[in-house]
């Protein structure tokens, strides 16, 4: 009943909340994307999006269509693979930012393993900056990571602490390579966009006369760099209250009230809340989540393409945290 290409277009718009970004991802004209969505809405007899000149949002029926669209496309792809006799093989080294540990990425990986049992999938969980470096060095084949967002939705390279990031003591600090968590070439297929926000324990109160207590990842880290840059630009002193490369450890420190941390709005862990605007903390700006592929070809590239397609098809599930973090 529902044409697969229109469903793929619908998923792309639902995940990016942008007709422009969906068109770029799919390699289509924006008018074609609009036409696909309009035809799908005509077939369902329901509006799937509310949209104006500035925003796009899913309706309640659009939310329901997400599950149906994924199921139809997965069945379509299984049937195609069965009748064409194609089976993926080989080793696939996949890296993911720890941001995704509490999302439904494991479900996507489980389904991929079930569909492609002859692919040896190896998972690396690291900071996005570390994943970018390993991809560039040929040590990973596909990564799902974050990068700085730009005003047009494109990631922009930012020099972390170009003039030095200064804390309460005025001493500068730089990331390991002077960059945020973004590859130097700026490549990557957009999965979705969000914004960084300050989060902390519900009862945490910041004293405006004292340095802001920060919970951060070690360099290189886009959230660390962006938090320090924003506070420096505001002229507000800060101090490091906790540093860990583990998201679970940082979340535990935040729950204990040790300080605040910069985090993606759509991935706020249970037990933490956005710091209210009255605290006077600066805005942190947008963030992009992207897929990047390595340079290997042949069976590895085919497997990377298949996993990337599965992640893009289920991208809306990646920014809907479920369950509590361990510990």
């Amino acid at each position: 009943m529902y044409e697969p290409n229109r469903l793929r277009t619908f998923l792309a718009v639902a995940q990016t909340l942008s007709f422009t970004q969906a068109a770029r991802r799919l390699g289509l004209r924006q008018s074609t994307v609009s036409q696909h969505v309009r035809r799908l809405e005509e077939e369902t007899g329901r509006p799937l999006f509310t949209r104006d000149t500035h925003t796009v949002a899913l309706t309640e029926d659009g939310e329901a269509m997400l599950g149906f669209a994924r199921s139809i496309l997965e069945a379509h792809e299984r049937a195609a693979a069965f009748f064409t006799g194609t089976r993926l093989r080989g080793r696939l080294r996949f890296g993911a930012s720890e941001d995704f540990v509490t999302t439904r990425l494991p479900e996507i990986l489980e389904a991929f393993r079930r569909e492609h049992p002859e692919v040896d999938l190896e998972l690396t969980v690291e900071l996005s900056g570390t994943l970018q470096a390993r991809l560039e060095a040929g040590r990973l084949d596909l990564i799902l990571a974050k990068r700085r967002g730009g005003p047009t939705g494109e990631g922009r390279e930012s020099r972390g602490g170009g003039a030095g990031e200064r804390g309460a003591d005025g001493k500068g600090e730089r990331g390991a390579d002077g960059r945020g968590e973004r590859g130097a070439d700026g490549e990557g297929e957009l999965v979705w966009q969000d914004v960084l926000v300050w989060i902390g324990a519900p009862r945490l109160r910041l004293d405006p006369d004292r340095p802001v207590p920060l919970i951060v990842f070690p360099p290189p880290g886009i959230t660390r760099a962006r938090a320090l840059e924003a506070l420096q630009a505001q002229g507000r002193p800060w101090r490091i209250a906790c540093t860990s490369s583990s998201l679970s450890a940082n979340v535990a420190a935040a729950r204990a009230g040790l300080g605040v941390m910069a985090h993606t709005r759509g991935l706020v862990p249970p037990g933490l809340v956005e710091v209210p605007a009255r605290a006077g903390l600066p805005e942190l700006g947008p963030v992009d989540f992207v897929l990047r592929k390595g340079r290997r070809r042949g069976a590895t590239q085919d497997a990377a393409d298949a996993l990337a397609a599965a992640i893009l098809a289920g991208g809306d599930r990646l920014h809907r945290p479920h369950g509590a973090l361990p510990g």
Side-chain angles (χ1 to χ4, degrees):
M1 177 180 180
Y2 300 120
E3 206 276 325
N5 284 334
R6 293 173 190 165
L7 294 176
R8 292 189 186 95
T9 299
F10 164 76
L11 283 177
V13 176
Q15 290 158 13
T16 61
L17 295 180
S18 166
F19 281 69
T20 301
Q21 293 294 344
R24 186 175 292 119
R25 174 194 289 187
L26 298 169
L28 300 173
R29 297 176 128 186
Q30 188 169 334
S31 59
T32 303
V33 170
S34 298
Q35 182 184 63
H36 283 184
V37 171
R38 185 171 63 254
R39 292 278 180 84
L40 193 58
E41 289 179 324
E42 290 172 355
E43 290 173 343
T44 60
R46 311 277 182 86
L48 302 176
F49 296 99
T50 59
R51 47 198 183 269
D52 56 31
T53 55
H54 301 291
T55 61
V56 177
L58 282 164
T59 63
E60 187 174 336
D61 289 315
E63 293 277 0
M65 177 57 82
L66 283 174
F68 294 129
R70 281 196 301 266
S71 298
I72 293 169
L73 289 174
E74 287 168 2
H76 184 269
E77 287 159 9
R78 284 198 301 271
F82 179 86
F83 288 108
T84 58
T86 57
R87 295 183 68 86
L88 295 178
R89 295 176 174 84
R91 177 190 183 200
L92 176 60
R93 301 167 300 174
F94 172 59
S97 166
E98 195 178 358
D99 298 81
F100 301 106
V101 168
T102 58
T103 70
R104 298 170 72 179
L105 177 63
E107 296 177 15
I108 296 174
L109 297 181
E110 181 187 18
F112 177 82
R113 289 285 299 118
R114 190 168 56 249
E115 294 297 320
H116 308 289
E118 295 182 34
V119 174
D120 295 323
L121 181 63
E122 299 176 5
L123 175 64
T124 296
V125 178
E126 265 290 0
L127 293 174
S128 291
T130 302
L131 296 175
Q132 301 277 13
R134 291 186 182 181
L135 185 77
E136 296 288 350
R139 295 166 59 192
L140 290 172
D141 305 310
L142 177 71
I143 63 172
L144 175 60
K146 60 179 178 288
R147 70 181 183 194
R148 290 175 182 264
T152 61
E154 296 300 318
R156 295 184 302 173
E157 183 170 355
S158 176
R159 302 290 171 181
E165 297 164 341
R166 303 184 182 277
D169 58 3
K171 294 180 180 178
E173 176 180 327
R174 291 184 67 87
D177 61 358
R179 290 197 299 262
E181 290 179 2
R182 181 174 183 259
D185 59 5
E187 294 177 357
E189 188 163 15
L190 182 68
V191 180
W192 93 88
Q193 295 175 300
D194 210 323
V195 295
L196 294 176
V197 295
W198 298 99
I199 63 172
R203 294 186 178 183
L204 179 68
R205 297 294 180 267
L206 297 177
D207 187 339
D209 297 323
R210 301 184 64 185
V212 178
L214 295 179
I215 298 168
V216 294
F217 290 102
I222 187 173
T223 53
R224 175 194 183 101
R226 189 68 198 100
L228 302 188
E229 290 167 5
L231 289 168
Q232 179 184 347
Q234 190 186 53
R236 187 158 180 175
W238 49 266
R239 65 178 179 85
I240 302 298
C242 175
T243 302
S244 176
S245 59
S246 165
L247 175 61
S248 296
N250 285 339
V251 168
R255 286 176 178 163
L258 270 65
V260 297
M261 58 189 289
H263 201 69
T264 306
R265 174 173 282 160
L267 295 172
V268 176
L272 298 177
V273 297
E274 285 190 41
V275 176
R278 64 176 177 273
L281 295 177
E283 292 186 0
L284 295 169
V287 63
D288 293 344
F289 288 86
V290 297
L291 282 166
R292 292 190 65 210
K293 298 174 186 175
R295 300 181 179 89
R296 295 176 71 189
R297 295 295 180 261
T300 297
Q301 184 63 55
D302 293 341
D305 289 344
L307 180 54
I311 291 171
L312 287 169
D316 59 284
R317 292 185 283 181
L318 297 179
H319 48 106
R320 293 164 191 247
H322 71 292
L325 284 170

